[in-house]
Amino acid sequence: SQQGEEDPQALSIQEGENATMNCSYKTSINNLQWYRQNSGRGLVHLILIRSNEREKHSGRLRVTLDTSKKSSSLLITASRAADTASYFCATALAYNAGGTSYGKLTFGQGTILTVHP
Amino acid sequence: EAQVTQNPRYLITVTGKKLTVTCSQNMNHEYMSWYRQDPGLGLRQIYYSMNVEVTDKGDVPEGYKVSRKEKRNFPLILESPSPNQTSLYFCASSTVGERLYEQYFGPGTRLTVT
C-alpha cells in the first residue's frame, strides 16, 4: 500500500512564486526524503529530514516534518521555470527483527509542478 | 563517477519470454532496490537487498525475482513477463546503517510486454 500521499497532485505557478507540496504517511519512519524527477528520467535526491528533526533547509528548499501529524511539506521559494518537474516524498523505515535487517522505502504518488516563465 | 547503471534502457518483449534487467552500482552501497513507476501510482518498491545474499520483498513482488550475489549487482528477473508488467523500472542504491539514506537512482528501463 502507498504510505506517502501527496497533495496537491498538480501545481501550476508563475516564476518567482513559492511552491508548497505536502506529504502524509501512515506508519513510523526513520526519515523522510524528497526527490525530484524530470519527465521520464531517474529520480534525484533533494533533501532528507530525520524523524527527530522538525525543519531543514537546503538552498531554496525548506522541508518541515510533523511526526505527530505524520506529515511533511516541501517549500520551494522563488521558483524558476527550471523547477518544473515531479516531486516525490519517500518514507524510510529500517529496523532489525529476529536478527534480520529490513529496510523499506515507500514513495508517494508525486506532485507535478509547472512553473511558467 | 558515482553512478547506478541499468541495462537495457528500453525493451519490448512478448508474454512469457524470460528477461533480465541488470543493475550495477560503483559506490560500494549495501542497499539496493528495484521500483516500478506507473502513471498515477508513483513508485512502488518491488524487491530490496540490505546486503549480499540478503533480499526481501517490497510492496509489489509478484512476478519478479532478484538475486544479490555480488555487492555491486542486483539483477531483476521476470521469469514469465505479462502485459501488466509493462512499466518504467528503476534501480537504486544507498548506504545503510541505522537508517536508509538518500537513494541514487539509475536512468530507468522502459519495458513493454505485448
Side-chain angles (χ1 to χ4, degrees):
Chain A
S1 63
Q2 288 288 326
Q3 158 113 304
E5 299 292 334
E6 294 182 62
D7 170 60
Q9 292 186 344
L11 181 61
S12 182
I13 60 174
Q14 295 294 130
E15 231 175 8
E17 295 180 340
N18 295 341
T20 300
M21 291 160 262
N22 302 296
C23 171
S24 61
Y25 58 93
K26 297 175 184 172
T27 64
S28 298
I29 62 173
N30 293 126
N31 65 59
L32 188 142
Q33 305 171 24
W34 285 90
Y35 290 82
R36 167 193 169 126
Q37 182 184 35
N38 287 86
S39 182
R41 292 176 171 251
L43 280 72
V44 175
H45 182 266
L46 294 175
I47 195 166
L48 180 153
I49 185 165
R50 292 181 168 80
S51 59
N52 61 354
E53 297 176 316
R54 292 296 168 260
E55 187 170 314
K56 203 160 185 180
H57 297 256
S58 177
R60 293 184 296 113
L61 305 180
R62 173 177 165 252
V63 169
T64 61
L65 178 65
D66 187 335
T67 52
S68 66
K69 295 181 180 177
K70 292 186 168 57
S71 67
S72 173
S73 67
L74 171 67
L75 168 67
I76 304 175
T77 60
S79 63
R80 306 164 181 167
D83 294 328
T84 294
S86 294
Y87 292 82
F88 295 87
C89 69
T91 54
L93 179 61
Y95 60 95
N96 292 302
T100 302
S101 297
Y102 298 88
K104 293 192 65 175
L105 261 86
T106 307
F107 283 79
Q109 296 174 358
T111 295
I112 300 171
L113 173 65
T114 304
V115 182
H116 300 281
Chain B
E1 179 191 354
Q3 60 181 355
V4 177
T5 56
Q6 294 178 228
N7 282 293
R9 294 288 313 281
Y10 302 90
L11 180 59
I12 300 173
T13 189
V14 296
T15 299
K17 186 176 181 182
K18 180 179 179 180
L19 66 93
T20 299
V21 184
T22 64
C23 173
S24 183
Q25 51 94 4
N26 62 1
M27 295 166 280
N28 202 35
H29 284 164
E30 299 92 346
Y31 187 90
M32 296 187 74
S33 182
W34 277 101
Y35 303 88
R36 61 177 289 175
Q37 184 175 27
D38 302 289
L41 296 177
L43 275 83
R44 293 178 293 170
Q45 192 173 43
I46 303 170
Y47 269 95
Y48 67 90
S49 170
M50 297 292 282
N51 214 324
V52 176
E53 302 292 359
V54 180
T55 62
D56 203 359
K57 297 176 181 177
D59 294 318
V60 288
E62 294 79 19
Y64 304 94
K65 285 176 59 178
V66 293
S67 67
R68 187 89 181 274
K69 295 186 171 63
E70 303 167 283
K71 198 171 187 178
R72 64 183 292 128
N73 297 322
F74 191 45
L76 179 70
I77 303 158
L78 284 72
E79 294 271 2
S80 184
S82 62
N84 65 12
Q85 292 178 299
T86 292
S87 187
L88 180 57
Y89 291 86
F90 290 102
C91 179
S93 72
S94 76
T95 58
V96 63
E98 293 181 357
R99 291 166 172 80
L100 296 173
Y101 295 109
E102 62 180 275
Q103 301 285 296
Y104 289 80
F105 278 81
T109 295
R110 190 168 292 280
L111 172 65
T112 302
V113 183
T114 62

